[in-house]
Amino acid sequence: KALGRAGWRNVCTSPSRLQGCMSAWVIDQYGTNGVLKYTEEISIPTVSSPQEVMIKVHAASLNPLDVSMRGGYGAKLLKLRRDPLSVMDSDSEFPLILGRDVSGVVVDCGSEVTHFAPGDEVWAAVPPWKQGSLAEFVTLTEYEVSHKPKLLSHTEAASIPYVANTALSALVNAGGLCRDSASNKRVLITGGSGGVGTFTIQLLKAWGASVTVTCSQNAEGLVRGLGADEVVDYTAGDAAEQLEMMEKFDVILDSVGGETEQWVMGKLKPWSGAKYVTLVTPLLQNTDSMGLLDGALSAVFTLNSKVTQNMISSGIFYRWGFYAPDGPALDEVSKLVDEGKILPVVEAQFPFTQVPQAFQKLEEGHARGKTVVRVA
Ligand code: NDP
């Protein structure tokens, strides 16, 4: 395939064709929706290292992180990640392209890329420290990219990578679950109706776990349709009380955070290796408000004290879960999708001309799956 790929590159992509400018939605400053700007004058992000893959974007999707990043969330830490040694000519991250999910077609590959060739249909979750997918082209390293499920359109495929990489990283690395160990484990997902929740329900069911979710009453049909075994309507009364009637859990994935963290801990089986994993962490907020060193130290202090407190009081593992780029993990998800075990949950679609409307939709909250932007 590697030999063939070199040949295809010569045929399919002449460098001159891919040089120049592309259209994209960018921000030149942080703020509300008004800062989103359409331009046709962004340089095409060509392959600049041997491991890189350049993708023509067909569809992108939005995550709450895009709305937060538009407002400056995580700016300090992400800037450090983009340019750790401050060697870039420009001190500015602008113009910044948002959009974390991509489904598209490979148009160029670096000389050491072995798994992809021009013409391959791929999907990926773009790390927040890289230029995003609300653009005609995006360039990623091979490791971040995966072949898209054959059964899905680009619009459907774009709804999955970021939440999939997040859920897998949180469940496997922090929650200690995997395909072979999840069978019959009782898992609670708070916020089951959103992007992360709708994906995670299906993944855990494919792994044989028993899945309980909290969500609003009008999302019950959706989450049951995706496989949830037990549903707690948090709008119908105290969710903690409703969960009290149920058997306790082995793992909780908390995608709501805030006050939920206070009461949900008591729903885990004590002294049994049970794990609480939250996706809502103060790390980026702290580094934004206190600076990199103080913010990171404060976050570590908070984490350590919660880990210790929960371990001493009830033998529960307290963990933070994070998105992590992982193409091979998406390969596994791709198989589950093609086996019909995971379905895309696309709540809303917008054309590329209406990216601000897509952000507005996300900002209104009450997601029921994902909001996708058709780019090509
Ligand atoms: P979404 O906006 O897609 O979904 C949130 C869902 O939670 C909505 O369906 C909402 O519906 C529901 N919800 C709100 N309040 C409650 C509540 N009290 N109890 C139960 N459900 C509730 O977000 P995502 O699923 O994409 O992400 C979830 C969280 O995880 C976000 O805070 C996000 O920032 C974070 N995240 C963190 C990552 C990390 O690396 N740490 C990576 C990815 C996400 P309704 O209001 O109608 O009930």
Side-chain angles (χ1 to χ4, degrees), residues 307-321:
V307 167
T308 310
Q309 191 189 325
N310 284 290
M311 186 45 70
I312 289 172
S313 65
S314 47
I316 283 165
F317 291 88
Y318 177 98
R319 304 236 163 110
W320 285 351

Side-chain angles (χ1 to χ4, degrees), residues 63-65 162-163 166 190-197 214-216 218 234 255-256 260 278-281 321-323 365-370:
N63 291 275
L65 180 65
Y162 190 77
V163 293
T166 299
T190 66
S193 50
V196 173
T214 66
C215 64
S216 302
N218 67 6
Y234 80 95
S255 71
V256 173
T260 304
T278 181
L279 295 177
V280 185
T281 81
F322 292 102
Y323 150 85
H366 308 299
R368 299 289 177 262
K370 298 285 300 177

Side-chain angles (χ1 to χ4, degrees), residues 232-242:
V232 169
D233 170 10
Y234 80 95
T235 62
D238 191 350
E241 264 178 37
Q242 296 179 62

Side-chain angles (χ1 to χ4, degrees), residues 129-146:
W129 50 90
K130 292 193 171 179
Q131 287 290 44
S133 54
L134 290 170
E136 268 185 278
F137 297 96
V138 68
T139 296
L140 295 168
T141 59
E142 177 177 31
Y143 176 76
E144 292 156 346
V145 180
S146 160

Side-chain angles (χ1 to χ4, degrees), residues 26-32 34-36 69-71 94-96:
V26 299
I27 59 171
D28 289 321
Q29 59 180 307
Y30 296 118
T32 55
V35 298
L36 287 165
M69 278 179 69
R70 190 200 63 202
F94 302 120
L96 189 63

Side-chain angles (χ1 to χ4, degrees), residues 259-375:
E259 285 178 8
T260 304
E261 183 173 316
Q262 317 300 321
W263 60 260
V264 88
M265 213 64 80
K267 310 302 171 198
L268 284 163
K269 296 174 183 170
W271 306 109
S272 67
K275 296 176 185 74
Y276 168 84
V277 182
T278 181
L279 295 177
V280 185
T281 81
L283 178 61
L284 294 184
Q285 210 168 24
N286 282 2
T287 51
D288 285 338
S289 62
M290 300 178 205
L292 287 172
L293 189 59
D294 287 354
L297 285 174
S298 164
V300 168
F301 179 77
T302 304
L303 179 61
N304 274 342
S305 67
K306 289 186 180 188
V307 167
T308 310
Q309 191 189 325
N310 284 290
M311 186 45 70
I312 289 172
S313 65
S314 47
I316 283 165
F317 291 88
Y318 177 98
R319 304 236 163 110
W320 285 351
F322 292 102
Y323 150 85
D326 191 343
L330 290 179
D331 291 344
E332 295 303 312
V333 175
S334 198
K335 281 186 210 147
L336 291 172
V337 173
D338 280 335
E339 287 166 13
K341 293 181 178 161
I342 291 181
L343 301 172
V345 185
V346 177
E347 182 189 16
Q349 294 182 38
F350 291 85
F352 197 45
T353 49
Q354 291 182 8
V355 164
Q357 287 89 331
F359 270 78
Q360 198 181 331
K361 155 82 186 76
L362 215 73
E363 234 168 335
E364 284 162 6
H366 308 299
R368 299 289 177 262
K370 298 285 300 177
T371 293
V372 178
V373 175
R374 297 186 306 271
V375 177

